[in-house]
Amino acid sequence: MPDTPTVAARSPIPRPAPLRQAVYDTLTELIINGSLKPGQHLVEADLAEHLGVSRQPIREALQRLHTAGWVDLRPAQGAFVHSPTPDECAQLLSVRAILETHSARGAAEHATAGDVARLWQLQQIGLTALAAGDARAIVEANAALHAHITHLSRNAVLAELIPQVDRRVRWYYMPIARPRGTDAWSEHARIIEAIADGDPDRAEELMRRHTANTTDFYCEQIAALTDRST
């Protein structure tokens, strides 16, 4: 009979530090919603005072944000909110487009009348935010609508993958939420109509066009900003 494997004694697995995670999550959200803007210098003391914490969890969060691509650490200068490049935009949004088109197809195949009614409710929330010119509310409504379409696809893999890119998509969408808004929400309406009709081919194609239009619009905006800064 083979010997039972032995495990060398180790230290206990450290439990997560809620404060550190809370600081990280808060700073991430401040970047996503535009409170901390691309290129902005992040001063540890100021952030610590703003969040009511010591500088240590801020320092640790900035290191993690750097690893995750939200923050740039520059030698002898400090931490700065990362400024997305056109290439980064194109890569992320192209991945998102693939996932979203599959979601739209699945939603058209599975959505019930009640599901479609909920999509129209989310559409109206977006239109209300657009009319108010509230960029943050537009972004949140946009994310909620797309998330519900993913839910309706009944595809567990999509439901797991899309949230991994959702936060960065929300970040990218924030500066274009208002100028792109009218066209984007009109496109949403056509997608919902295709889902309501149970037409997966049309839903997929409309979502493909929608995500391509968003990608092109965003990358044009970023390229224009880059040209002005050089």
Side-chain angles (χ1 to χ4, degrees), residues 10-211:
R10 296 178 181 272
S11 301
I13 296 174
R15 295 182 180 276
L19 177 60
R20 294 173 183 174
Q21 187 63 44
V23 170
Y24 175 83
D25 291 340
T26 298
L27 290 178
T28 303
E29 189 60 34
L30 289 173
I31 292 171
I32 291 171
N33 68 31
S35 296
L36 298 174
K37 302 184 182 304
Q40 182 174 339
H41 187 199
L42 301 174
V43 180
E44 288 181 9
D46 293 344
L47 293 173
E49 181 179 1
H50 177 70
L51 298 183
V53 299
S54 69
R55 294 176 62 172
Q56 183 61 29
I58 297 293
R59 187 175 300 115
E60 293 173 355
L62 292 177
Q63 289 287 345
R64 286 183 63 192
L65 290 165
H66 171 64
T67 301
W70 297 101
V71 165
D72 297 328
L73 297 179
R74 303 175 189 171
Q77 296 183 50
F80 297 80
V81 178
H82 179 66
S83 297
T85 67
D87 284 345
E88 290 171 354
C89 152
Q91 291 173 16
L92 181 77
L93 295 182
S94 66
V95 171
R96 179 233 187 183
I98 294 170
L99 300 176
E100 294 280 9
T101 53
H102 282 290
S103 290
R105 168 172 282 278
E109 292 171 340
H110 297 104
T112 66
D115 295 331
V116 172
R118 178 56 181 161
L119 287 175
W120 285 120
Q121 290 175 349
L122 293 170
Q123 171 78 357
Q124 187 55 54
I125 292 171
L127 293 175
T128 300
L130 182 62
D134 186 337
R136 292 187 189 182
I138 296 169
V139 170
E140 292 303 321
N142 181 74
L145 178 62
H146 280 270
H148 196 59
I149 291 174
T150 299
H151 170 71
L152 297 183
S153 74
R154 309 292 195 265
N155 187 315
V157 175
L158 285 174
E160 180 180 353
L161 291 176
I162 285 182
Q164 296 180 35
V165 300
D166 175 65
R167 290 201 300 178
R168 204 166 292 266
V169 168
R170 286 196 291 128
W171 182 34
Y172 286 6
Y173 196 62
M174 182 65 68
I176 66 170
R178 284 180 288 194
R180 166 99 172 103
T182 300
D183 289 340
W185 289 92
S186 294
E187 293 162 10
H188 286 162
R190 291 192 286 273
I191 293 167
I192 295 172
E193 289 168 356
I195 292 172
D197 291 341
D199 189 336
D201 290 338
R202 184 157 61 95
E204 183 179 55
E205 178 57 28
L206 288 170
M207 182 64 84
R208 181 179 292 107
R209 294 180 197 171
H210 171 64
T211 54

